[in-house]
Amino acid sequence: MHDLVIRSRRVVLPEGIRPAAIAVRDGRIAAVEPYAAELAARTTTDVADLVLLPGLVDSHVHVNEPGRTEWEGFATATRAAAAGGVTTIIDMPLNSLPPTVDVPALAAKRAAAAGQCQVDVGFWGGAIPGNLKWLRPLHESGVFGFKCFLSPSGVDEFPPLTLPEIEAVMTELVAFDGLLIVHAEDPGRLGEPADGSYDAFLESRPGAAESAAVQAILALAEQTGARTHILHVSAADCLAPLAAAQARGVRITAETCPHYLTLAAAEAHTTAFKCCPPIRDSANQDALWQGLADGVLCCVVSDHSPCPPAMKEGDFASAWGGVSSLQLGLPAVWTAARARGFGLEDIVRWMAEAPADLVGLTHKGRIAVGCDADLVAFDPDAAFTVEPAALQHKNPITAYQGRELSGVVQSTWLRGAVVGERPAGRFIDATIHEKS
């Protein structure tokens, strides 16, 4: 007797899309059977022609609680995640107060999140000047890796590292095979915008700043052997050095984000578009899609970085930089991907399997026996117009306002239970994978 059986005529499985019946027992997928298989279950659901996807894994989310909960909190962020088909998020170590740069701060983060989460939540640690001694204790406490900046982060309590400091961090991480994730922009190539326009902002953060930083990180990763991941690649100039390093066997991966794949500089008429690194032109966007097709970029994750409305006021020189898209990433990427000839299997690879693999969650991000029964019923053909009032994150500001997108999440299950009935999310621990 299974707890639940979900049937769909279009299930995205590791081997392809086909009709199937997914049997769930004790929160895990117990069997993947033909669509018409007779399976005894307490509850049976047939989603018919809706596509059944694995729950997405978003490894780049800024929740900001505690300390800046008015920016975003765990209750609102995880509701937005579930509404967008995301069943696991990994929370960044900033912009909460305190930042997650030592074990007491990690404990404070978990205490703040307890009892609020609609989806499963894990945590990144931070690498900043002076906290080298905390990296191993944070690793042993369950963080999935360590984020650092080469350039100012935007908040004073999370300062950047110099290249020698990054080398020291990498050397420390190699001892326990920790993962370093890097915001790569060369501070020496960044400037102040000449005025408040988007063109001036874009000119102040050129692609050369990104590619120079990536090349410096690649050299250190190759020298030390450290596992390294480049965050939110926005500049096509980064792709060739990344591809060459990967071909040489350097332990390097890289991601991009929905806004770099779906929005272009020519559309940036409001500060909702401001983020760092910036959204670039459409030719650059084409190259990022090719980077995904070639496997140079493995993941598409949100970099959900919200703030209160007042911080988005003013112009592109003064407004906070961050795009909030946790709820909209799946339809935004699917709308653009389908127009370019990609399929739902590609979406699952970029937004579920690869982020899960990045952080070692082999029981997430795919529909297979033994995996968590994190599932999404998705209508890929339904269209909707983005309205801020329908968004679940705390401050519903969006660069996608008024845009028509395809793809609607109809239902989300976390370990076989419909999300929304109660906050059933758990903390995911990198050392043991799961804690209640």
Side-chain angles (χ1 to χ4, degrees):
M1 175 66 69
H2 300 290
D3 300 320
L4 171 69
V5 169
I6 303 177
R7 303 179 196 274
S8 168
R9 294 188 179 91
R10 293 187 288 175
V11 181
V12 184
L13 299 167
E15 63 272 19
I17 300 177
R18 63 175 174 85
I22 311 302
V24 178
R25 188 184 306 122
D26 298 327
R28 298 267 176 142
I29 296 173
V32 178
E33 299 290 346
Y35 175 82
E38 293 187 10
L39 297 166
R42 294 179 179 87
T43 303
T44 297
T45 298
D46 192 332
V47 301
D49 290 324
L50 294 179
V51 177
L52 197 64
L53 307 175
L56 306 187
V57 176
D58 193 334
S59 57
H60 196 149
V61 178
H62 294 267
V63 175
N64 308 327
E65 186 176 7
R68 291 191 175 103
T69 310
E70 70 274 15
W71 295 22
E72 183 67 284
F74 283 99
T76 48
T78 58
R79 280 203 304 269
V86 177
T87 53
T88 303
I89 65 170
I90 313 295
D91 174 60
M92 284 291 168
L94 72 163
N95 302 300
S96 55
L97 292 170
T100 315
V101 296
D102 54 37
V103 171
L106 176 62
K109 177 79 80 166
R110 286 176 168 152
Q116 296 198 73
C117 301
Q118 295 284 351
V119 302
D120 287 352
V121 177
F123 302 95
W124 295 107
I128 63 171
N131 84 323
L132 195 65
K133 67 180 182 180
W134 283 108
L135 301 185
R136 185 183 286 270
L138 279 165
H139 170 76
E140 292 172 349
S141 297
V143 301
F144 285 89
F146 301 90
K147 181 177 187 177
C148 72
F149 284 75
L150 275 77
S151 54
S153 70
V155 291
D156 292 340
E157 67 275 4
F158 204 98
L161 298 177
T162 64
L163 288 173
E165 287 171 330
I166 289 176
E167 182 180 358
V169 167
M170 286 183 170
T171 301
E172 175 71 9
L173 297 187
V174 165
F176 51 85
D177 201 29
L179 174 64
L180 184 66
I181 62 174
V182 184
H183 180 125
E185 288 182 287
D186 180 355
R189 295 173 184 254
L190 300 179
E192 292 297 325
D195 55 47
S197 68
Y198 190 79
D199 286 345
F201 168 65
L202 184 57
E203 186 176 350
S204 75
R205 303 189 88 100
E210 207 174 337
S211 61
V214 165
Q215 290 178 71
I217 293 298
L218 290 174
L220 290 177
E222 190 162 19
Q223 174 187 321
T224 62
R227 286 197 300 136
T228 308
H229 180 75
I230 304 297
L231 298 166
H232 45 49
V233 172
S234 81
D237 290 347
C238 298
L239 297 174
L242 282 167
Q246 291 165 352
R248 293 196 305 272
V250 180
R251 302 173 76 194
I252 190 80
T253 52
E255 70 187 35
T256 192
C257 304
H259 39 282
Y260 302 129
L261 296 170
T262 64
L263 304 175
E267 304 171 85
H269 304 305
T270 72
T271 56
F273 286 77
K274 183 179 177 181
C275 56
C276 299
I279 295 165
R280 305 189 189 277
D281 62 33
S282 56
N284 181 88
Q285 184 181 98
D286 292 342
L288 294 180
W289 279 103
Q290 189 60 49
L292 279 170
D294 294 340
V296 179
L297 304 173
C298 65
C299 304
V300 180
V301 291
S302 70
D303 190 10
H304 178 73
S305 186
C307 67
M311 294 180 67
K312 278 292 191 184
E313 293 176 356
D315 58 26
F316 284 101
S318 60
W320 174 259
V323 173
S324 301
S325 62
L326 187 52
Q327 184 173 337
L328 297 172
L330 174 57
V333 175
W334 168 239
T335 301
R338 179 164 64 172
R340 291 173 179 265
F342 295 102
L344 287 164
E345 305 99 313
D346 299 305
I347 299 294
V348 166
R349 184 172 68 255
W350 299 329
M351 303 185 77
E353 292 175 5
D357 290 345
L358 173 69
V359 295
L361 293 177
T362 56
H363 65 299
K364 296 284 191 182
R366 67 214 81 212
I367 299 175
V369 173
C371 290
D372 283 359
D374 300 344
L375 302 164
V376 176
F378 181 65
D379 186 342
D381 301 315
F384 69 102
T385 300
V386 177
E387 298 293 345
L391 300 178
Q392 299 294 318
H393 59 270
K394 184 177 289 289
N395 296 292
I397 303 164
T398 176
Y400 294 94
Q401 182 171 351
R403 182 176 289 246
E404 185 170 297
L405 300 177
S406 295
V408 173
V409 172
Q410 299 287 6
S411 298
T412 303
W413 292 264
L414 180 69
R415 285 185 299 279
V418 176
V419 175
E421 295 174 355
R422 59 187 176 86
R426 298 178 181 175
F427 295 155
I428 303 295
D429 187 310
T431 56
I432 60 172
H433 284 178
E434 193 170 287
K435 287 183 177 180
S436 298

